[in-house]
Each structure stands twice: as structure tokens, then as C-alpha cells.
Amino acid sequence: MAEQKRDYYEVLGVSKTASDSELKSAYRKLAKKYHPDMNPGDAEAEKKFKEASEAYAILSDPDKRRQYDQFGHAAFENGGGGAGGFDFSGMDFGDIFGDIFGSFFGGGGRASNGPMRGANLRAAVHITFEEAAFGCEKELEIVLKDECAACHGSGAKPGTSKRTCTKCGGKGRVMMSQQSLFGMVQNVTTCPDCHGSGQVIDTPCPDCNGTGYVARKKKISVSIPAGIDNGQSVRIREKGEPGRNGGPRGDLLVEVIVANHPIFQRRDMDIYSSAPISFAQATLGGEVIIDTLDGKVSYEVKPGTQTDTTIRLRGKGIPSLRNRNVRGDQYVTLVVQVPTGLSKDAKEALRKFDELTGNTISGGPKAVKSEKKKKGFAGKIKDAIDDL
Ligand SMILES: [Zn+2]
Ligand SMILES: [Zn+2]
């Protein structure tokens, strides 16, 4: 083992004669500080949390504490398990986490008959590249729940009423064994019988089957802002699930899925594309027509432009989500086209062109030979190896 295991009393910062309540409060302090939910992604904190949890698991159990006092860590080692291999099964952290982390562990702690905000709903809408760039209005059909008119949301048949749940005694929470970071632990979770409401319906309302809500398809208009990108969401306030006990509705989150464009690619606010130019345009310079989001624009290519030269068209990119007057740029890669299917006259003109520019394109052994000549020593060796 690379690391010496720390003494459990030292880990918790208590004396060897610490009482149960001293252990508990020491552990509570450490758990609060190092709990992974409080320190997401922090490996050091997670290690500390596990170490403290292990120490508390042992010292809070009178039998295990006695064994530890007598034999130290050796009492619990089965073939060099170490902290990572510690078995937490059967440990009861429920009452500790129940009151420290009420909101983290199953949402217990809060009275369930107070007003509660409804859950958020999620939906998706498909739009084109241009719609994402310039914004659009979309109509969405979603299933929205409304309070049942017959039972006013209680879920009980009119004339009857709910009764207190016997499984949880009306608390809405029960103690459950749960698989967690360090094995099976006891946790406080929402009661499965009453789903946290603390009440059970014996005779459900026939209109809503006891749910208290009726679902209806509704059309909702969504305003998609200019500049939105694939995967971003638009929030529509209070179009989610209805609240309970007079609480507000949740929100509707509409995820935007942007279709690919045949010519343009987007990176943040910039657009990337390519445009073909002829060999003559590249050599002599001249006007090329380039596709942009705003239509075709003319661009003056400089004489002697090499293939894969990238030009920038300022302000031809995607508008900013915050200010639609601010726009990204468009980067266009100019690709010089090698002509194919030339007429006899055109071929003749090209040969003439090569002659005039000092090249020769007459093929055959002579040309190959002169190519080999230029290779030098390394090239010759490579050729020799290739011939083997
Ligand atoms: Zn009803
Ligand atoms: Zn219950």
C-alpha cells in the first residue's frame, strides 16, 4: 500500500474516549464539508469523505470499535483491502444524512402539504440552420396537465376524502436501503405507497383516476431567438406540470435541434464553408460568387491565390443570442478546381500555357527519368527498398 492508513480517531479528530454523540457530531461536520454533492468532481474531497465515513462506520458500532481498539486496522483487513475495499453494507447513515442532507437524499424534510412548485416539462423542436440563425416562431403540441374540475385536484371521488398513509404514518418519507458511493446504506426516501404526499386515496375520482389532474393536448407557441445553437433550450415559464397545494406550475424547457446545412457549418457564432474557384480565377484574380446566409455575395479573389486559402467575410456569421445586431464571421476556404473533360482546343491551350511558363508535360520515360534524377540519395534508397 502506498499510503499508511490513518487512525480512525485521528480522521474524525476526536479522542479515544469520545462518546457516541461526540463521534456523531465530528463525523457530521466532516461529511458536510467533504460530501461529493457539495464538492462535485473533487477527488480529494471524495477520498476524505470516504475516509471519514469509514472511520465513523467502525467507531459508531460498539463491537467494531472494541475490535479496532484492540487490533487496529488489522481487525478489518481481509487481504489488504484498504479504504477502497471497505465494506459499508449494513451501515446506517440514514439518521445522519437524513438531517444533514434532507434535500439531497430523496427530498425529505419538507412538509409535503405546503405549496409545491410543479416539475419542469421537456420537449424538443426541430428547426433549420437558417431558423436558428435568424430566429423563428414554432408551434408545439404538448400534453399539459390541469387540475381536475370534479375533485379540485384532490384525486378523491367527490364526497370522499383521503386518509393518512399507514406505511409512512403521513410523513411521506421512509427509511430505505440504497446502493451508494460506498455500498449499501440506509437512506430516507420518498414513501412508495403515497409518493411523498403522506396521504392515500381509497376511492379515486373517476374523472382523473385519482391523479387529481386531467391531461389535455395543447398548442403552445415558442419564440426561438436568433442565434440559438443546437442543444440549447428555450424556457417557457409556468407551462410545466401543475404545482401542488396552490404552488406554481413548473416550466417548459424546449430543446432546439438544429438540422445540418448542406453548405454551412457552424462553430459558435462563426460559419465555415468552401467555394470552388477556377484555375484561371486563382491565377489571374477576379470575381467569385459566394453563398452566405444573406444570399450570394461577390468577392474579389487576389491574383495568385493558392488552393485552400481561407478568406473571411465579416459579419456574415450567426447573430449573437444577446444582441442580434452583433454577428460572427464567415470563413470561406477557396478550393482551386482542376479542370476535367477538356476539349481538344482547351488541352492544346494548356500545353501551350505550360510551354510558356517553362514546364513540360510530355510524358514517357524521359519525364520519369528526370524525376528520379532529382531525388538524391535518400530517394534512391527508398526506391531500392520499394523494388525489393
Ligand atoms: Zn379528479
Ligand atoms: Zn406514505
Side-chain angles (χ1 to χ4, degrees), residues 123 125 224-235 253-258 266 321:
V125 62
I224 309 220
I228 200 154
D229 207 347
N230 187 45
Q232 292 183 311
S233 292
V234 176
R235 181 184 288 265
L253 299 167
V254 182
E255 186 188 349
V256 171
I257 296 160
V258 182
R266 172 173 174 177
L321 255 182

Side-chain angles (χ1 to χ4, degrees), residues 165-170 172 191 193-196 198-200:
C165 173
T166 45
K167 187 167 180 99
C168 62
C191 171
D193 282 16
C194 61
H195 308 291
Q199 292 176 310
V200 183

Side-chain angles (χ1 to χ4, degrees), residues 117-378:
R117 191 174 170 274
N120 290 339
L121 271 180
R122 284 173 190 280
V125 62
H126 292 258
I127 61 171
T128 66
F129 191 93
E130 288 87 350
E131 284 173 331
F134 298 122
C136 59
E137 290 282 325
K138 287 277 153 179
E139 201 163 72
L140 207 66
E141 199 174 62
I142 60 161
V143 176
L144 264 191
K145 287 182 193 165
D146 279 313
E147 195 179 272
C148 170
C151 64
H152 302 288
S154 80
K157 188 179 175 183
T160 71
S161 59
K162 298 175 177 179
R163 66 170 169 82
T164 303
C165 173
T166 45
K167 187 167 180 99
C168 62
K171 280 187 286 188
R173 290 174 288 138
V174 286
M175 201 81 105
M176 294 276 267
S177 293
Q178 252 180 20
Q179 188 64 39
S180 85
L181 195 65
F182 38 78
M184 290 298 285
V185 294
Q186 299 285 312
N187 271 329
V188 175
T189 70
T190 304
C191 171
D193 282 16
C194 61
H195 308 291
S197 69
Q199 292 176 310
V200 183
I201 298 160
D202 288 321
T203 347
C205 163
D207 283 30
C208 62
N209 296 318
T211 60
Y213 301 106
V214 281
R216 283 192 203 92
K217 273 192 178 174
K218 277 191 183 159
K219 284 191 172 148
I220 286 182
S221 170
V222 190
S223 240
I224 309 220
I228 200 154
D229 207 347
N230 187 45
Q232 292 183 311
S233 292
V234 176
R235 181 184 288 265
I236 304 169
R237 302 250 173 234
E238 305 207 354
K239 291 286 183 201
E241 300 276 29
R244 288 188 177 272
N245 308 313
R249 296 190 82 104
D251 298 336
L252 172 63
L253 299 167
V254 182
E255 186 188 349
V256 171
I257 296 160
V258 182
N260 285 331
H261 194 277
I263 310 174
F264 304 134
Q265 281 176 335
R266 172 173 174 177
R267 202 179 304 150
D268 300 325
M269 283 166 62
D270 294 328
I271 289 177
Y272 293 79
S273 67
S274 64
I277 59 170
S278 77
F279 178 67
Q281 282 172 320
T283 312
L284 307 172
E287 189 197 31
V288 290
I289 302 298
I290 291 171
D291 285 306
T292 73
L293 271 183
D294 307 305
K296 292 186 186 301
V297 299
S298 156
Y299 182 84
E300 198 67 25
V301 175
K302 287 195 198 90
T305 295
Q306 299 297 323
T307 193
D308 291 340
T309 297
T310 298
I311 57 162
R312 175 158 78 162
L313 304 177
R314 280 180 192 275
K316 292 292 180 197
I318 306 282
S320 157
L321 255 182
R322 289 187 200 92
N323 176 2
R324 62 181 302 159
N325 296 320
V326 176
R327 285 179 65 175
D329 301 326
Q330 181 174 348
Y331 293 89
V332 184
T333 303
L334 301 173
V335 182
V336 176
Q337 305 295 294
V338 173
T340 55
L342 292 180
S343 68
K344 208 177 150 212
D345 285 352
K347 283 180 185 167
E348 199 46 55
L350 263 185
R351 284 202 188 93
K352 183 82 183 155
F353 163 81
D354 249 9
E355 269 173 44
L356 290 172
T357 51
N359 291 319
T360 171
I361 52 164
S362 56
K366 216 171 133 192
V368 174
K369 215 175 182 182
S370 68
E371 193 207 4
K372 268 204 171 177
K373 219 188 226 167
K374 276 187 258 164
K375 275 184 178 161
F377 185 66

